[in-house]
Amino acid sequence: MAPELFGVPLKYVSLVVLTVQNSLLVLIMRYSRVSTTEHYYTSTAVLLSEVTKLLVCLYLSFRETSEGATAASLGKEILGGDSWKMLIPAGLYTIQNNLQYVAVSHLDAATFQVTYQLKILTTALCSVLLLHTRLGGRKWLALLALTAGVALVQLPPADNSSAKQTTAGGASAVGLAAVVVACVLSGLAGVYFEKVLKGSRKSVWVRNVQLSLFSMAPAAIGVFWVDGAGVRRDGFLFGYSGWTWAAILCQALGGLIVAVVVKYADNILKGFATSISIVLSCLASVFIFGFQVSLVFVVGAALVIYATYLYGAADSQDKDKAKPTPLP
Ligand code: C5P
């Protein structure tokens, strides 16, 4: 039987938690960058987020090992066998996590969110290429509609010139380039992780310990290489505020949820969950911040909902086809 939490399959719980976490992360990250004049060094935040995930996943791996297992046997499980396979997603994710901060520092939250949706398509492409996932015409149509819908939902209103200002200068080219590369890395790393996880019997927490452990070196190199001079001059925690810690914890939490989502669902469904989260967070801001709903928003939201329905319908049709025909 599929694992459940309070009677609800973990697959759906993890997808819903991911939608909430995703909506919060961008806002917290952006706020942590713009709310103070002393800018913290983002590479240090990426490193601390990996340390947090490593500690949590080590604890969870210990808890799930059978009685009698020792630290040595767990160590062997973590470092032995095909653990080297996690080097690839660890490197890709570390670059992606650093680029995410570059992008969010150069683009406003809305532009960042719109362009980051390219992830849906890069992930689908990587799934087809690496996992040999077969996507029929209806699923591709659903994915394109989803990307377009999310982009429309997030377009700032025409008269909101302040929201567009940050995209006009030279700095935005850096931001946009960072987003595009981050999307490609997200698709590659996510699908590669799924391939390794589902192709072996090692638990998701052991895989995540490996991922964080191997991310430590590139993340530390990032600190020295990108921000080394500043960190030596001002200190590792220079410019940290409560919001910085919140961003670190939220990013770490996101990583843990992504791991569960990939285990019980898959990377493409993850894209749908995050898209719905965007529609929900915009709707929430109607009530909280008095956000004005435009026609473009309604069309975008309708596209997202239709795309989700279309993908789900095509998926269950595929599953029906895959069922063995009962014997007469
Ligand atoms: O944007 P995207 O969904 O690709 O981001 C995935 C995030 O989850 C990255 O920050 C990555 O470091 C993290 N992650 C993780 N453990 C996994 C998979 C992803 O911590 N197993």
Side-chain angles (χ1 to χ4, degrees):
M1 204 180 79
E4 295 181 343
L5 190 73
F6 305 120
V8 184
L10 214 52
K11 174 175 170 176
Y12 298 112
V13 176
S14 60
L15 285 167
V16 170
V17 177
L18 184 70
T19 57
V20 176
Q21 180 273 342
N22 244 269
S23 315
L24 284 177
L25 179 64
V26 176
L27 296 177
I28 295 177
M29 246 189 193
R30 171 91 185 143
Y31 196 72
S32 74
R33 296 302 289 155
V34 297
S35 60
T36 62
T37 47
E38 288 188 339
H39 293 305
Y40 64 91
Y41 297 109
T42 51
S43 59
T44 61
V46 173
L47 180 62
L48 288 180
S49 167
E50 288 307 326
V51 174
T52 312
K53 276 189 291 187
L54 177 64
L55 295 177
V56 174
C57 295
L58 261 178
Y59 169 75
L60 292 172
S61 306
F62 250 120
R63 253 189 45 168
E64 74 183 356
T65 44
S66 52
E67 260 177 55
T70 59
S73 63
L74 184 62
K76 222 164 116 187
E77 173 85 352
I78 291 168
L79 294 173
D82 64 352
S83 59
W84 58 270
K85 285 186 180 166
M86 281 294 126
L87 284 168
I88 297 168
L92 297 178
Y93 271 138
T94 310
I95 304 174
Q96 183 207 344
N97 289 338
N98 277 288
L99 285 177
Q100 207 176 346
Y101 273 107
V102 173
V104 98
S105 308
H106 287 93
L107 302 171
D108 60 86
T111 311
F112 171 73
Q113 287 264 40
V114 174
T115 40
Y116 209 33
Q117 297 321 309
L118 207 62
K119 257 189 337 188
I120 299 169
L121 291 181
T122 54
T123 304
L125 269 178
C126 291
S127 270
V128 170
L129 295 177
L130 286 174
L131 294 179
H132 307 294
T133 308
R134 299 234 323 247
L135 295 176
R138 292 213 311 173
K139 283 191 177 173
W140 278 116
L141 190 66
L143 285 163
L144 286 174
L146 184 72
T147 314
V150 177
L152 287 181
V153 161
Q154 293 176 346
L155 278 183
D159 59 348
N160 190 352
S161 49
S162 67
K164 286 186 170 169
Q165 258 167 17
T166 36
T167 66
S172 70
V174 175
L176 287 177
V179 172
V180 172
V181 179
C183 287
V184 174
L185 296 180
S186 162
L188 269 178
V191 169
Y192 189 92
F193 180 82
E194 186 177 339
K195 188 178 166 79
V196 177
L197 180 72
K198 294 185 174 167
S200 83
R201 285 187 18 240
K202 285 207 166 134
S203 86
V204 65
W205 301 125
V206 167
R207 286 294 183 199
N208 253 51
V209 170
Q210 295 171 336
L211 193 64
S212 296
L213 201 61
F214 297 151
S215 297
M216 223 53 92
I221 292 172
V223 174
F224 285 108
W225 195 32
V226 183
D227 296 320
V231 168
R232 271 191 294 274
R233 186 184 59 237
D234 303 323
F236 192 86
L237 298 182
F238 172 79
Y240 269 52
S241 67
W243 288 106
T244 317
W245 291 108
I248 290 170
L249 290 180
C250 196
Q251 198 183 31
L253 177 71
L256 301 175
I257 306 166
V258 166
V260 177
V261 166
V262 170
K263 178 166 168 64
Y264 295 109
D266 64 45
N267 270 294
I268 297 182
L269 280 176
K270 174 177 145 259
F272 280 86
T274 44
S275 306
I276 289 176
S277 90
I278 291 161
V279 174
L280 289 182
S281 61
C282 286
L283 280 181
S285 56
V286 171
F287 298 102
I288 304 170
F289 305 117
F291 171 76
Q292 301 272 320
V293 174
S294 65
L295 183 63
V296 174
F297 176 88
V298 175
V299 173
L303 260 177
V304 169
I305 293 162
Y306 176 66
T308 311
Y309 161 76
L310 190 64
Y311 193 93
D315 205 33
S316 48
Q317 212 175 43
D318 289 352
K319 280 180 186 142
D320 283 348
K321 272 192 209 147
K323 272 189 198 146
T325 23
L327 291 171

